[in-house]
Amino acid sequence: MLIDTTLREGAQLFGAYFNVETRMRIADGLMKMGVEEIEIGWVGQEGIIEFAQHLSAVNKNTRLSVWSPCREKDILAASRLPVDRISIGVPVSDLHIEKRLESDRQSMLRKLAAAIRTAKKAGFEYVSVGLEDISRADADFAMSMALHAEVCGASRVRLSDSLGQLTPLAMEKLVSRFRSRITIDIAVHCHDDFGMATANSVTALEAGADYADVSVLGIGERSGIAATEELVAHLALRGGHEGYSTDVLKDVCLLVSAAAKVPVSRTKAVVGTDIFACESGLHTHALSKSPDLFEPYNPESVGISRKLAVGGKSGRAAVRSALNECGVDSSATDLATLTEAVRQLSCRLSRPLTRSELLKLSNGELLS
């Protein structure tokens, strides 16, 4: 269901460089996570041979694929790698066909047939064809390329929204249209230029796509693609897919963050350190009664800890609850006065209060 391409698309992020050791650690995390397929890189990538050999020796259940341009020499080079699948990229928009490749539609159909034939003869039983820039392509021609790929022996077509142009509604229509015409597997590759990659990927899977490309922290060209941790969490915690392990998400994200020099926002979905932190009076009080009132899933399921604090947004109920957690008898405390003191100190410090600060206030100590 998920094709993680952190080591291919993610490695194309400006300024990101992963050595073989880092790639192995990322791949190990992805295998523990339970993704069905790892796109390990591209033909000719630095260290790809050593990495592929090492990975194939330790891999047990995860499919391994490599990306290749639509060229015979690159496909033959890919066939010498110990991988299960090859992903051949081919543009389908006239903009790319004419301006980048200086070619035409009929030539692309012939080139695609030759590429699939070469891959099959070279020993690839599973050939994936990436239809690049499909959101700006003529719909009928894109479909003819997909049908041609199926007839020629491809096992999968990958619909690539290369510039993140689609909305979830448009993605649903796109996938439904292809699902009604072809019988081979369908994958999607959703870029995040307008912040809709994860939503588009989830929609595609719900509309009948078999696979969605993802990358840890969503890293990739420009603003990247759908985020692995978001899709894994959604599928496991909301969709009931038991094959994914969400408890390793945070560690893998921190590893990629350090290697790619991409900081993880404290409010980053699924893995941000403060996504289960709360100081709002209404919410804090509700969480003390029943966490599921304001939490979409158990924090521990993704390796995050719940943090409740009092501060400038807190009310008396939240302060009472905080005192009780500290072992202080709140019934002997003037909650109205203490709550006002909490708010004033928090506003002066521009942050929630620590446990120690709350206790000092409750004891009548003045904090400078």
Side-chain angles (χ1 to χ4, degrees), residues 143-164:
M143 181 62 72
S144 68
M145 287 285 278
L147 292 169
H148 194 54
E150 180 174 19
V151 169
C152 292
S155 300
R156 180 173 69 203
V157 292
R158 182 156 59 179
L159 313 179
S160 299
D161 183 16
S162 303
L163 294 182

Side-chain angles (χ1 to χ4, degrees), residues 84 86 90 106 149 190 230 235 257 266 306 325:
D84 308 293
I86 185 172
V90 55
Q106 288 304 310
C190 304
E230 295 173 4
L235 292 171
S257 171
R266 66 188 181 93
R306 182 183 297 114
E325 288 184 6

Side-chain angles (χ1 to χ4, degrees), residues 43-120:
V43 174
Q45 185 179 12
E46 181 73 23
I48 189 69
I49 297 176
E50 176 187 0
F51 175 55
Q53 292 173 340
H54 194 170
L55 192 57
S56 65
V58 300
N59 177 51
K60 295 180 180 179
N61 302 313
T62 309
R63 296 290 187 180
L64 304 178
S65 59
V66 65
W67 187 90
S68 170
C70 193
R71 291 195 297 259
E72 181 179 7
K73 66 174 184 177
D74 294 296
I75 295 170
L76 292 176
S79 70
R80 294 188 283 272
L81 298 173
V83 295
D84 308 293
R85 301 174 173 183
I86 185 172
S87 298
I88 301 172
V90 55
V92 290
S93 69
D94 291 329
L95 191 64
H96 276 264
I97 293 173
E98 296 171 3
K99 290 192 174 183
R100 178 161 69 92
L101 301 181
E102 298 181 349
S103 187
D104 57 61
R105 293 181 179 183
Q106 288 304 310
S107 296
M108 294 308 301
L109 286 165
R110 290 192 295 270
K111 191 172 185 179
L112 175 61
I116 296 173
R117 184 167 57 249
T118 297
K120 301 291 280 188

Side-chain angles (χ1 to χ4, degrees), residues 4 6 18 22-33 216-217 228-230 232 245-260 262 264 268-273 275 299-305:
D4 188 280
T6 307
F18 304 145
T22 298
R23 291 184 220 175
M24 280 304 306
R25 293 177 63 197
I26 293 172
D28 180 64
L30 295 173
M31 288 186 283
K32 290 178 180 177
M33 198 182 296
V216 175
L217 296 178
T228 304
E229 65 278 7
E230 295 173 4
V232 167
S245 298
T246 59
D247 56 349
V248 301
L249 291 177
K250 182 179 177 181
D251 289 341
V252 177
C253 286
L254 291 177
L255 170 61
V256 172
S257 171
V262 175
V264 178
K268 171 70 178 69
V270 181
V271 294
T273 56
I275 59 175
E300 285 73 23
S301 66
V302 292
I304 303 293
S305 298

Side-chain angles (χ1 to χ4, degrees), residues 102-316:
E102 298 181 349
S103 187
D104 57 61
R105 293 181 179 183
Q106 288 304 310
S107 296
M108 294 308 301
L109 286 165
R110 290 192 295 270
K111 191 172 185 179
L112 175 61
I116 296 173
R117 184 167 57 249
T118 297
K120 301 291 280 188
K121 288 180 62 177
F124 284 108
E125 295 183 4
Y126 194 101
V127 178
S128 178
V129 174
L131 304 181
E132 300 170 355
D133 201 24
I134 196 166
S135 52
R136 298 191 296 175
D138 176 80
D140 291 336
F141 176 65
M143 181 62 72
S144 68
M145 287 285 278
L147 292 169
H148 194 54
E150 180 174 19
V151 169
C152 292
S155 300
R156 180 173 69 203
V157 292
R158 182 156 59 179
L159 313 179
S160 299
D161 183 16
S162 303
L163 294 182
Q165 305 288 294
L166 300 179
T167 64
L169 181 58
M171 176 60 75
E172 180 182 20
K173 292 178 179 178
L174 178 71
V175 172
S176 296
R177 182 169 182 265
F178 276 80
R179 183 75 289 164
S180 69
R181 297 288 303 278
I182 64 176
T183 60
I184 57 178
D185 289 343
I186 294 176
V188 294
H189 182 89
C190 304
H191 273 266
D192 202 39
D193 296 86
F194 291 95
M196 287 182 276
T198 293
N200 282 341
S201 298
V202 170
T203 299
L205 292 173
E206 292 178 344
D210 303 282
Y211 295 91
D213 281 12
V214 290
S215 175
V216 175
L217 296 178
I219 65 170
E221 291 278 3
R222 302 183 313 281
S223 52
I225 64 171
T228 304
E229 65 278 7
E230 295 173 4
L231 265 294
V232 167
H234 178 80
L235 292 171
L237 302 176
R238 293 288 296 167
H241 294 272
E242 299 179 353
Y244 300 120
S245 298
T246 59
D247 56 349
V248 301
L249 291 177
K250 182 179 177 181
D251 289 341
V252 177
C253 286
L254 291 177
L255 170 61
V256 172
S257 171
K261 301 179 181 62
V262 175
V264 178
S265 166
R266 66 188 181 93
T267 57
K268 171 70 178 69
V270 181
V271 294
T273 56
D274 285 351
I275 59 175
F276 289 100
C278 182
E279 64 165 304
S280 173
L282 174 64
H283 288 192
T284 301
H285 182 53
L287 287 169
S288 68
K289 292 184 174 182
S290 180
D292 61 1
L293 289 171
F294 284 104
E295 290 179 350
Y297 46 83
N298 189 329
E300 285 73 23
S301 66
V302 292
I304 303 293
S305 298
R306 182 183 297 114
K307 292 191 293 186
L308 301 180
V310 291
K313 310 177 187 74
S314 301
R316 276 179 282 185

